[in-house]
Amino acid sequence: MTVQRKNKHIFVFGIFAVDISFYVDKKVTPGETIIAKGSNIGPGGKASNQAISAKKLGATTTLITRLGNDNFNNYANDIWRKEKLSTSVKIDRTLPTGMAGIFIDDKTGENSVIVHPGASAHLSMNDFNSHKSKMQNGDIFLTQFEQSPETTFSVLKEARKLGMTTIFNPAPFGKIDRKVYKYCEIITPNETEAEQITNIPLKGKRDVEKAINKIRDLGVEKVIITLGKKGAAVFDGNEITFCPGKKFGKVIDTTGAGDCFNGALASALSFGKDLKQSVEFSCAAAGLSVLKRGTAQSSPTRAELNKALKAIRDFADGITG
Ligand code: RIB
């Protein structure tokens, strides 16, 4: 007999990378050297960021990933230990741990990222299978597109067959095999990725609705398009609604806001919230994450998120009360 857990377990499958970020006031052009305004080294990789975000928000979370046999391996383990994140990690002796170079506009907080998945490029079905016995019908499976398309598609298919709620964050964008959409219960592209999937330029709400409908026609049950500071649009299986973005202060660094959103989404779903409630929760978490430097480092804890939301409610009560 399977004993049902009170809260659903989240399994996040994908890469870890060390992020080396530079805060700059202009884009660097070929042959040019520029002086950065600041720098930061921190944990990154979309899967690790999303897993840390979910865990910081209180969810039972396991990250399945690969590391190289190098110093960054210890760095990753120290971070995960500090966050009390459960992990399933295979060491690759031939490839280095993933690494990313990030440029952040010092004025707007907008970012450009180059990522080398390193050891995680070899993530395969075996990594998934080694954890399969712990995965239960109803649990949540979250993956991105930083490992190979073959592996990404196979794990989504297998997770769906196990009866898990599969969330596919198709970032960075790559060609998606048409057959895969039906294995995604929820897909979470950002505006650019949604445009690439649908070939619809997203200039306004009507375009977003058209894009959601086109993605549904591909076979996905529920669709969320994240819209940066404008929030997110969600089709929850019944209707399309828009959740406005939450602004809590000056934007410092937008890197990883999407990861924070996806981790928060999985976290809220794991506690039994419905999709619209989960998207609201995730918009708030992502809105807080842009106030600090870094990716996983800037994801809020449950206490930080509750405090920020209470401040908004108190402010609103002060106006209306
Ligand atoms: O989404 C941001 C992340 O993308 C960074 O942490 C970087 O490592 C890349 O994976």
Side-chain angles (χ1 to χ4, degrees), residues 198 200-213 225:
T198 61
I200 300 173
L202 302 189
K203 299 215 180 72
K205 275 190 168 182
R206 279 289 301 138
D207 301 321
V208 174
E209 284 166 352
K210 271 193 223 155
I212 288 183
N213 286 328
I225 300 184

Side-chain angles (χ1 to χ4, degrees), residues 19-92:
D19 286 352
I20 303 180
S21 306
F22 298 97
Y23 296 82
V24 291
D25 55 10
K26 70 188 280 293
K27 283 210 169 103
V28 61
T29 53
E32 190 186 25
T33 301
I34 61 171
I35 305 286
K37 300 270 177 194
S39 62
N40 184 51
I41 298 186
K46 294 187 195 297
S48 175
N49 293 343
Q50 295 178 10
I52 290 176
S53 158
K55 177 69 184 146
K56 277 180 155 180
L57 291 166
T60 309
T61 313
T62 298
L63 170 69
I64 303 170
T65 191
R66 287 200 186 192
L67 297 173
N69 186 27
D70 48 30
N71 289 337
F72 287 153
N73 171 323
N74 298 332
Y75 177 72
N77 280 300
D78 284 349
I79 300 279
W80 296 329
R81 207 171 301 118
K82 191 175 139 257
E83 299 297 346
K84 298 191 175 60
L85 177 69
S86 138
T87 54
S88 164
V89 183
K90 188 163 174 201
I91 306 299
D92 188 308

Side-chain angles (χ1 to χ4, degrees), residues 109-180:
E110 294 302 326
N111 64 82
S112 320
V113 181
I114 303 172
V115 59
H116 178 233
S120 295
H122 284 182
L123 271 163
S124 73
M125 253 337 262
N126 291 339
D127 302 81
F128 178 96
N129 286 336
S130 66
H131 238 72
K132 199 168 159 182
S133 61
K134 303 197 178 75
M135 298 173 179
Q136 286 185 13
N137 185 339
D139 281 343
I140 295 170
F141 183 78
L142 170 60
T143 195
Q144 320 70 25
F145 220 177
E146 290 186 311
Q147 60 282 335
S148 77
E150 297 73 31
T151 298
T152 308
F153 302 156
S154 312
V155 292
L156 280 166
K157 183 174 174 183
E158 206 47 41
R160 196 71 184 128
K161 275 206 212 150
L162 289 174
M164 290 200 264
T165 292
T166 48
I167 309 175
F168 180 32
N169 173 222
F173 180 75
K175 196 171 164 1
I176 304 172
D177 184 332
R178 242 205 110 134
K179 293 195 288 290
V180 174

